């Protein structure tokens, strides 16, 4: 089997991929993730997932490389990682009682033959109509400042969510495993 590399610095994606119980290594791609002017959220996520895979391929020319990126949007407005408490308060305040689409891009790049499979897997989350006190309480407990949309569904963030809709719940965390299994199969890698 070709070496499998996750082109990501995300501990959440690493944990998700480990669920498949196949050997892999992790390499941070270290690319600029700034959206391009006029670029649609889905395009940003897809471009960045592909760029991450290609960047890691420079060092691993015989590997299968998984690139991922996620862009959250509310009425067309891109919501990135808040990074600070104040930004997270602003995001959750804006999102309360509303639906956010998480565009999770996935790329599987075979560096040995330059074959690339890539697509965006959307996932919609409707947030509870939280009070200011609930937002503050959640942020103090979870501190999800490295998560697009300021909430971690795999943790206490499930309490800020009213409903979720999509084909793969892993897409919300940033690595659509259902689609990845199909992509890996096309490269001759079976999970079970």
């Amino acid at each position: 089997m070709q070496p499998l590399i996750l082109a990501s610095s995300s501990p959440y994606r690493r944990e998700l991929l480990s669920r498949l119980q196949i050997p892999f290594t992790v390499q941070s791609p270290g690319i600029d993730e700034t959206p391009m002017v006029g670029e649609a959220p889905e395009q940003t996520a897809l471009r960045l997932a592909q760029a991450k895979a290609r960047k890691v391929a420079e060092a691993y020319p015989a590997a299968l490389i998984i690139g991922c990126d996620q862009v959250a949007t509310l009425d067309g407005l891109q919501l990135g990682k808040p990074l600070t408490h104040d930004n997270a308060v602003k995001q959750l305040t804006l999102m309360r009682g509303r639906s956010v689409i998480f565009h999770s891009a996935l790329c599987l790049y075979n560096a040995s033959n330059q074959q690339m499979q890539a697509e965006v897997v959307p996932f919609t989350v409707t947030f509870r109509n939280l009070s200011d006190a609930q937002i503050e309480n959640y942020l103090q407990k979870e501190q999800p400042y490295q998560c697009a949309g300021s909430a971690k569904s795999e943790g206490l963030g499930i309490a800020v969510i009213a409903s979720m809709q999509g084909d793969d719940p892993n897409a919300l965390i940033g690595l659509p495993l259902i689609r990845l299994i199909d992509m890996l199969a096309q490269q001759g890698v079976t999970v079970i």
Side-chain angles (χ1 to χ4, degrees):
M1 183 173 120
Q2 284 177 273
L4 182 64
I5 301 173
L6 176 61
S8 177
S9 58
S10 167
Y12 311 111
R13 289 187 179 117
R14 180 182 308 174
E15 190 277 324
L16 281 175
L17 186 55
S18 69
R19 293 179 188 178
L20 298 184
Q21 300 182 22
I22 54 177
F24 71 95
T25 58
V26 177
Q27 179 67 44
S28 179
I31 67 163
D32 179 4
E33 297 189 26
T34 306
M36 293 180 160
V37 176
E39 189 175 46
E42 302 94 322
Q43 293 171 322
T44 299
L46 193 59
R47 176 181 58 81
L48 292 175
Q50 292 170 329
K52 290 173 183 180
R54 283 190 182 106
K55 179 69 174 175
V56 170
E58 293 172 8
Y60 300 92
L64 282 175
I65 302 164
I66 302 165
C68 311
D69 195 75
Q70 184 181 71
V71 177
T73 59
L74 175 65
D75 298 334
L77 173 68
Q78 288 195 26
L79 305 170
K81 297 174 184 174
L83 304 179
T84 68
H85 181 82
D86 289 343
N87 288 340
V89 169
K90 289 175 189 171
Q91 279 190 355
L92 288 173
T93 300
L94 179 66
M95 298 182 312
R96 60 179 154 202
R98 301 176 73 194
S99 294
V100 175
I101 300 172
F102 289 82
H103 306 276
S104 294
L106 172 64
C107 169
L108 182 64
Y109 183 57
N110 187 331
S112 65
N113 64 15
Q114 289 81 48
Q115 183 179 8
M116 181 177 287
Q117 302 171 66
E119 70 178 76
V120 176
V121 179
F123 200 86
T124 302
V125 175
T126 301
F127 286 82
R128 295 181 189 278
N129 194 4
L130 302 171
S131 69
D132 291 346
Q134 288 173 311
I135 290 172
E136 187 63 33
N137 189 37
Y138 167 66
L139 292 175
Q140 290 298 325
K141 290 179 178 180
E142 184 101 287
Q143 300 180 8
Y145 307 133
Q146 294 297 320
C147 300
S150 303
K152 291 183 353 186
S153 65
E154 66 275 24
L156 182 60
I158 199 69
V160 303
I161 296 171
S163 67
M164 299 187 292
Q165 181 180 14
D167 293 335
D168 186 343
N170 302 296
L172 180 57
I173 303 170
L175 180 56
L177 292 179
I178 293 172
R179 186 63 190 111
L180 178 60
I181 291 166
D182 294 336
M183 289 180 175
L184 287 168
Q186 290 182 33
Q187 294 298 316
V189 178
T190 56
V191 174
I192 53 172

